[in-house]
Amino acid sequence: MKQEIDYLIVGQGIAGTLLSYQLINKGYKVRVIDDNHESSSTIVAAGLINPLVLKRLTKTWRAEEFLAYNELHYHQLEKHLATKFYHKTPILKLINSEDEIKYWKHRSTNEEVKAYISDHFLDLSEYSFLKKFKGALVNNTAWIDTTVLLKAYQKNLIKDHLLIKESFNFNQLTIQEKTVEYNNFVAKHLIFCQGFKSNNNPFFDWIPLSLVKGELITIHSNEMSDDYIFNKKVFILPLGNNYYKIGSTYDWGDLSLNTTKDKKESLLNDLNELIQCKYTVIEQTAGIRPAVKDRRPVFGSHPIHRNISIVNGLGSRGLMMAPKLIEEFIDFQENGTAMDKEVDLKRYYSEFKPDSAY
Ligand SMILES: Cc1cc2nc3c(=O)[nH]c(=O)nc-3n(C[C@H](O)[C@H](O)[C@H](O)COP(=O)(O)OP(=O)(O)OC[C@H]3O[C@@H](n4cnc5c(N)ncnc54)[C@H](O)[C@@H]3O)c2cc1C
């Protein structure tokens, strides 16, 4: 006898985690299949939540809405898991030229940006580990310890018997008119939250992904500070206990999960332009950001198999966008409310070839 469920979710990165969490909270019967984060971008991510593009000082898409929703949502999840992973920490942009100061002052009067920055610059002489800079604050920023979050949520799913720890096997899937069958489950909906691995998914391999590899290093130093996420070219993210994450790189060519000597050198060169203290490199990690050609996420149902859907393309700001967009996606699934046009999978339906096997 097969077990009837509402949602079968493939992948437990930030997308699968928040989707299953919100669905379970609403009373749906859910199961999650994940291969123990084998290719997870989330687990590698720095986890920054930042409403601005720091280079140009422009506000990112729907930032105010996402920020307003995020804090409460992540705090609820922290409470549910009895685990702290959301750290409200200001970003401090390091500035050392008159042109940068002038530009910052100019942007601080912009209607969209002024809520997040001011034209007051901090004297950083007390931070003797830094070379000579002024500091410009960005408000409303945070970072998420993604490893702590994913592992705590995974443990919770295991405790509640909701996690199937395996690689999804497409040969085990049967599609019925209103349901899908997978092993001993009959589900009303199958949702793929596979991150960059969706490029091998036969239902959705026509979505034009534009994947971006990123590498980070973790260092240890007794001389640095946890007060801010310092940023200039690279960020210095305080993890606690004198550990700092330095990142990150962008590479559109190499899509392996290997770390490289080149990128390590490049990160260390950029870091050494900012600091003048002793440190030890602890580790280097690499991941692939799941991004789409037009740099917006993709949420929606397969053009033919309406009970099979995808949540993907969260790109380099996945942690900020995911909570609210996933709430909207559940509204789309359950009530037929249209997704925001900018993230709706329909924008790529013309890429789908109806004669494909799936
Ligand atoms: C170096 C780097 C730095 C980043 N920094 C930030 C940042 O500071 N802020 C930010 O917001 N974003 C950042 N990102 C981007 C962020 O990581 C992504 O937007 C987000 O994590 C994507 O989440 P996801 O759930 O879609 O995918 P993933 O996290 O990749 O999750 C997919 C899950 O599905 C599993 N899976 C895949 N295929 C199968 C299968 N067939 N069967 C079973 N399981 C499967 C994978 O193993 C994984 O566990 C960064 C990314 C990188 C690489």
Side-chain angles (χ1 to χ4, degrees), residues 51 70 77 96 208:
N70 273 355
L77 183 52
N96 60 353

Side-chain angles (χ1 to χ4, degrees), residues 110-220:
N110 177 278
E111 272 312 309
E112 287 206 315
V113 175
K114 68 182 186 194
Y116 305 108
I117 63 173
S118 82
D119 63 355
H120 175 67
F121 298 94
L122 304 186
D123 169 30
L124 301 179
S125 48
E126 68 177 285
Y127 297 100
S128 56
F129 72 94
L130 284 173
K131 291 187 174 168
K132 205 167 166 4
F133 291 102
K134 279 195 161 60
L137 266 184
V138 183
N139 301 313
N140 251 317
T141 59
W143 70 279
I144 288 181
D145 194 325
T146 52
T147 308
V148 168
L149 163 58
L150 288 201
K151 290 299 175 192
Y153 191 75
Q154 182 192 55
K155 207 167 143 194
N156 215 61
L157 286 175
I158 292 170
K159 173 176 74 64
D160 295 337
H161 307 287
L162 301 181
L163 182 71
I164 305 154
K165 234 192 214 185
E166 65 180 35
S167 189
F168 184 82
N169 182 349
F170 286 89
N171 296 325
Q172 303 292 326
L173 180 69
T174 312
I175 306 169
Q176 308 290 4
E177 201 189 326
K178 295 228 159 109
T179 55
V180 298
E181 293 181 17
Y182 183 79
N183 290 343
N184 57 336
F185 292 102
V186 182
K188 288 184 193 148
H189 305 273
L190 171 62
I191 318 280
F192 288 105
C193 302
Q194 290 176 273
F196 82 96
K197 283 286 177 180
S198 75
N199 60 0
N200 293 326
N201 182 318
F203 293 99
F204 294 107
D205 55 1
W206 43 273
I207 297 174
L209 297 180
S210 168
L211 304 176
V212 193
K213 180 173 176 176
E215 297 190 43
L216 298 146
I217 50 173
T218 303
I219 63 168
H220 182 269

Side-chain angles (χ1 to χ4, degrees), residues 10-16 33-49 166-168 170 193-197 212-216 248 286-290 311-312 314-320:
V10 181
Q12 193 239 317
I14 195 64
I33 300 179
D34 185 85
D35 56 9
N36 203 21
H37 307 134
E38 199 176 291
S39 61
S40 176
S41 171
T42 309
I43 219 150
V44 175
L48 294 175
I49 293 186
E166 65 180 35
S167 189
F168 184 82
F170 286 89
C193 302
Q194 290 176 273
F196 82 96
K197 283 286 177 180
V212 193
K213 180 173 176 176
E215 297 190 43
L216 298 146
S248 49
I288 310 286
R289 300 174 183 89
V311 172
N312 210 297
L314 288 170
S316 56
R317 292 182 194 262
L319 279 302
M320 184 171 85

Side-chain angles (χ1 to χ4, degrees), residues 12 14 17-18 21 42 45-49 70-89 141-154 156 229 237-239 245 319-320 323:
Q12 193 239 317
I14 195 64
T17 294
L18 297 185
Y21 172 62
T42 309
L48 294 175
I49 293 186
N70 273 355
E71 203 163 325
L72 183 65
H73 190 69
Y74 282 124
H75 281 323
Q76 273 171 359
L77 183 52
E78 280 186 320
K79 216 166 144 191
H80 174 71
L81 298 174
T83 304
K84 181 155 180 61
F85 56 79
Y86 184 88
H87 303 273
K88 211 150 169 53
T89 313
T141 59
W143 70 279
I144 288 181
D145 194 325
T146 52
T147 308
V148 168
L149 163 58
L150 288 201
K151 290 299 175 192
Y153 191 75
Q154 182 192 55
N156 215 61
I229 300 163
L237 171 69
L239 302 173
K245 216 172 230 186
L319 279 302
M320 184 171 85

Side-chain angles (χ1 to χ4, degrees), residues 228-323:
Y228 302 105
I229 300 163
F230 296 95
N231 176 287
K232 186 175 178 68
K233 251 177 155 180
V234 285
F235 56 76
I236 303 172
L237 171 69
L239 302 173
N241 298 320
N242 298 330
Y243 288 93
Y244 301 87
K245 216 172 230 186
I246 315 298
S248 49
T249 61
Y250 287 78
D251 189 339
W252 287 262
D254 167 19
L255 293 179
S256 74
L257 287 172
N258 303 331
T259 55
T260 62
K261 214 173 137 204
D262 272 12
K263 293 294 186 268
K264 181 178 175 182
E265 261 171 35
S266 145
L267 288 169
L268 291 178
N269 285 340
D270 290 344
L271 176 66
N272 292 337
E273 283 180 23
L274 309 184
I275 66 171
Q276 49 189 5
C277 67
K278 285 197 192 118
Y279 62 84
T280 317
V281 177
I282 304 296
E283 68 164 353
Q284 185 179 1
T285 47
I288 310 286
R289 300 174 183 89
V292 177
K293 208 169 76 181
D294 65 6
R295 301 184 163 276
R296 287 280 183 264
V298 274
F299 286 73
S301 300
H302 188 274
I304 293 175
H305 308 296
R306 309 300 297 169
N307 48 2
I308 301 182
S309 302
I310 188 165
V311 172
N312 210 297
L314 288 170
S316 56
R317 292 182 194 262
L319 279 302
M320 184 171 85
M321 295 189 291

